[in-house]
Amino acid sequence: MNKTDSIARRILGWKLNRWDRWYDFEKAAFIHESEFQPEQNLDHAMLIVNKLKGLGYTFKTNGETDASFNNVHATGKTLSQAITNAAYTIIENNVEDRSTIWAQLC
């Protein structure tokens, strides 16, 4: 699973429908992998921010290259890349603690 796929499935709750697309049950829509590129598209990255805010995370940024969710901080060449990196760090940090974060995210 790559970074984008991990975020789509574990944070946004999209289910893998086929090797190149997910299914969003909330919107009853298929999302092709080319339609979700959070590292390159700030609007896509903001979907992650909004989902994590809904789960109780506080988002902070310097507006250009840094993003933080609570105590998880990441940087990137762009803000969208920093958001994606921070979200992926949340996933990586919570691999062992499935009882709390995964109950909220999935």
Side-chain angles (χ1 to χ4, degrees):
M1 220 181 314
N2 65 32
K3 188 184 301 185
T4 301
D5 188 54
S6 294
I7 291 169
R9 293 168 68 183
R10 294 184 177 161
I11 292 179
L12 298 176
W14 299 347
K15 303 301 178 200
L16 189 63
N17 176 264
R18 211 171 59 185
W19 65 271
D20 63 344
R21 71 179 183 196
W22 304 279
Y23 185 73
D24 181 353
F25 285 97
E26 291 177 5
K27 295 181 181 174
F30 292 101
I31 297 93
H32 194 274
E33 65 181 8
S34 65
E35 297 169 354
F36 182 64
Q37 298 295 319
E39 287 189 284
Q40 291 83 31
N41 187 314
L42 186 56
D43 290 336
H44 297 176
M46 292 308 291
L47 291 173
I48 299 165
V49 171
N50 292 332
K51 182 67 171 191
L52 288 173
K53 279 183 177 180
L55 295 170
Y57 283 86
T58 302
F59 174 67
K60 294 181 184 176
T61 181
N62 73 352
E64 295 180 19
T65 59
D66 295 322
S68 298
F69 294 101
N70 294 356
N71 61 344
V72 176
H73 178 78
T75 60
K77 291 181 181 177
T78 63
L79 179 57
S80 56
Q81 191 177 55
I83 291 168
T84 303
N85 291 340
Y88 189 69
T89 299
I90 291 171
I91 292 169
E92 286 182 321
N93 289 345
N94 290 293
V95 169
E96 296 301 320
D97 185 13
R98 296 184 187 271
S99 60
T100 56
I101 191 75
W102 297 126
Q104 292 176 355
L105 294 178
C106 296

